[in-house]
Amino acid sequence: MAKKSGSPTVAAESEGKPLDKKSARTRVRILDAAAQVLSAKGYAGMRLSDVAEVAELQAPAIYYYFPSRDDLIEEVMWVGLADMREFLTKALEVAPADAGAMERILIAVETHLRHELEISDYTTAAIRNAGQLPDNIRDRHDAEEKKYGALWRDLFKAAAETGELREDLDPYLAQMLVMGTINWTAEWWQPNRATIDRVVANAQSYVRAALSPAS
Amino acid sequence: MAKKSGSPTVAAESEGKPLDKKSARTRVRILDAAAQVLSAKGYAGMRLSDVAEVAELQAPAIYYYFPSRDDLIEEVMWVGLADMREFLTKALEVAPADAGAMERILIAVETHLRHELEISDYTTAAIRNAGQLPDNIRDRHDAEEKKYGALWRDLFKAAAETGELREDLDPYLAQMLVMGTINWTAEWWQPNRATIDRVVANAQSYVRAALSPAS
DNA sequence: TGAACATGTGAAGCCCCATTAGAATCCGTC
DNA sequence: GACGGATTCTAATGGGGCTTCACATGTTCA
């Protein structure tokens, strides 16, 4: 179940430090490692020694970059969602102006899936551990999750208003069912069983048919 | 996120011991408690002291019933899946003889959802922690999961053969997308947002439309 | 009643792991 | 080519949690 690590985007926010110094790169290496271990072992199962090993340094070095284990985890979880939201926002911005509500939903499906399956670790860490966080970390995560959900809610609201969503589906429930459809892919997808393109195509076809009124 | 505990069915297999003795009931109390804690805290986060508290006894007492923490967890995870499989098997057996392939899939959707949302803790524990188990526990779990997946695979195979599954969907991918649709409900459903009946109705409508060829 | 067996307890052992302390090493700059 | 900050290491500290052990309490049945 070991996954790829790469974290190309990783909203490099930090606190005003330059981004290309050796220091910054080490910080990212630690975050990547943490995402990988967190995704595989879960909140309580992630050990700093494991993270250190993946990041190729000694555990105490982590404290040079993060005040505590929980702070590191909080950052990973937050980046996972924030990155995803940024991705989706951008994707919707560049969508053709004449795209209908359903087409915008399908764009969101593709964006979410590609991000989830390609960038991966951060997102799967965020998804899998959302329910297991202690209260102190949960707050920032929940806030970010709400923002991401709001993007989707707007898409469904629009579809309901333009009649592109079947009447016998509750918009809220439909949204949750779609998010389940795509979130779950991270649990079963493996590169050797089907290409990402195939998964995206099938998921889009599936969602469009599930939501659209009979023509 | 605390959930209900109840474990009505709990395939009471054990090793030939009588089922109604005080002892057996205590054993079930411990299993129920473990399922609840496991579901909430994850594999590594589940503490025997938490389980003991929920089960209303002292932690060492658990060792009278289970050889180790891992054995207890293994049993919870296994029961979660085995119970579900039994449920689904029975539901398909009593299905009307003239039910089509699609109807049988919708029966499976309903059965899975009701079991997941009503019986809950065992299933959510099994679902959430499947990826975080150490190898020694994983084996029995994977084997059972494969059996459950086989039931679904047959349903989709049948639908593909009778033409009740759209041609542009890969049967395997379609199965995974449907299972995502329903598995994910455990992550967001709350009794106060929608009744189980509504969720079931929406999910069935969603899945049928997603899979069926345009009429 | 009392003897065997079934259940449950409290205290202690021991390993693992986050975290801290203090020193070593690297690296650019004067 | 050595000073100073940045970065990383090794070696301890301390608490938490699974597990064991020896004993208490309860229960069943002759």
Side-chain angles (χ1 to χ4, degrees), chain A residues 43-163:
Chain A
Y43 169 75
M46 183 192 98
R47 281 163 215 163
L48 288 183
S49 53
D50 295 340
V51 174
E53 190 177 354
V54 175
E56 295 180 72
L57 39 68
Q58 301 301 314
I62 296 172
Y63 285 83
Y64 184 74
Y65 298 92
F66 300 89
S68 75
R69 176 179 179 276
D70 273 3
D71 284 274
L72 170 57
I73 291 176
E74 185 179 9
E75 175 107 6
V76 170
M77 300 282 290
W78 183 82
V79 167
L81 280 176
D83 232 33
M84 181 80 109
R85 181 162 65 92
E86 196 186 322
F87 238 65
L88 179 52
T89 303
K90 289 240 176 72
L92 289 174
E93 274 170 5
V94 304
D98 63 343
M102 180 57 59
E103 284 173 71
R104 288 172 64 81
I105 288 178
L106 296 181
I107 288 172
V109 166
E110 169 161 18
T111 306
H112 183 110
L113 270 177
R114 288 198 187 280
H115 192 268
E116 180 177 356
L117 299 182
E118 282 165 5
I119 313 302
S120 195
D121 287 337
Y122 286 82
T123 313
T124 53
I127 288 177
R128 286 186 179 149
N129 293 292
Q132 306 181 349
L133 296 179
D135 294 345
N136 52 320
I137 302 189
R138 207 190 215 90
D139 290 342
R140 184 151 78 130
H141 185 261
D142 281 0
E144 189 61 33
E145 196 168 38
K146 202 166 279 185
K147 286 194 203 167
Y148 185 64
L151 285 180
W152 281 86
R153 182 158 30 80
D154 291 345
L155 294 176
F156 276 80
K157 202 172 148 207
E161 284 169 359
T162 61

Side-chain angles (χ1 to χ4, degrees), chain B residues 167-204:
Chain B
E167 296 274 342
D168 65 331
L169 289 180
D170 175 303
Y172 169 74
L173 294 180
Q175 177 190 340
M176 291 300 152
L177 294 173
V178 169
M179 298 197 69
T181 304
I182 56 183
N183 272 334
W184 192 253
T185 55
E187 303 298 327
W188 55 266
W189 180 75
Q190 294 172 51
N192 55 322
R193 295 205 78 145
T195 65
I196 291 186
D197 287 346
R198 263 174 74 74
V199 173
V200 168
N202 274 264
Q204 285 183 319

Side-chain angles (χ1 to χ4, degrees), chain B:
Chain B
M1 290 276 173
K3 291 259 201 131
K4 62 256 92 103
S5 63
S7 76
T9 335
V10 175
E13 28 72 68
S14 319
E15 282 86 36
K17 292 172 192 164
L19 302 171
D20 50 331
K21 283 188 63 177
K22 221 163 291 184
S23 160
R25 267 181 282 121
T26 305
R27 194 186 138 94
V28 169
R29 237 171 54 227
I30 294 174
L31 274 174
D32 285 356
Q36 184 181 321
V37 176
L38 190 59
S39 166
K41 303 280 190 67
Y43 169 74
M46 183 193 98
R47 276 154 218 172
L48 288 183
S49 53
D50 295 340
V51 174
E53 191 177 354
V54 174
E56 295 179 74
L57 38 69
Q58 302 300 316
I62 295 172
Y63 284 82
Y64 184 74
Y65 298 91
F66 300 91
S68 75
R69 177 179 179 276
D70 273 3
D71 283 274
L72 170 57
I73 290 176
E74 184 179 10
E75 176 105 9
V76 170
M77 300 281 291
W78 183 82
V79 167
L81 280 176
D83 233 33
M84 181 80 110
R85 181 162 65 92
E86 196 187 320
F87 238 65
L88 179 53
T89 304
K90 289 242 174 72
L92 290 174
E93 274 171 5
V94 304
D98 63 344
M102 180 56 61
E103 285 173 72
R104 287 171 66 80
I105 287 178
L106 296 182
I107 289 173
V109 166
E110 168 161 17
T111 306
H112 183 110
L113 271 178
R114 289 198 185 280
H115 193 269
E116 180 177 359
L117 300 182
E118 282 165 5
I119 314 302
S120 195
D121 287 337
Y122 287 82
T123 313
T124 53
I127 288 177
R128 287 186 178 148
N129 294 292
Q132 305 182 350
L133 295 180
D135 294 345
N136 51 320
I137 302 189
R138 208 190 214 89
D139 291 343
R140 185 153 77 131
H141 186 261
D142 281 0
E144 190 61 34
E145 196 169 39
K146 200 166 279 183
K147 285 194 203 168
Y148 185 64
L151 285 180
W152 282 87
R153 182 160 30 80
D154 291 345
L155 294 177
F156 277 80
K157 202 173 147 208
E161 284 169 358
T162 60
E164 291 172 83
L165 182 63
R166 282 190 292 127
E167 296 274 342
D168 65 331
L169 289 180
D170 175 303
Y172 169 74
L173 294 180
Q175 177 190 340
M176 291 300 152
L177 294 173
V178 169
M179 298 197 69
T181 304
I182 56 183
N183 272 334
W184 192 253
T185 55
E187 303 298 327
W188 55 266
W189 180 75
Q190 294 172 51
N192 55 322
R193 295 205 78 145
T195 65
I196 291 186
D197 287 346
R198 263 174 74 74
V199 173
V200 168
N202 274 264
Q204 285 183 319
S205 166
Y206 176 95
V207 168
R208 161 179 267 139
L211 303 179
S212 298
S215 50

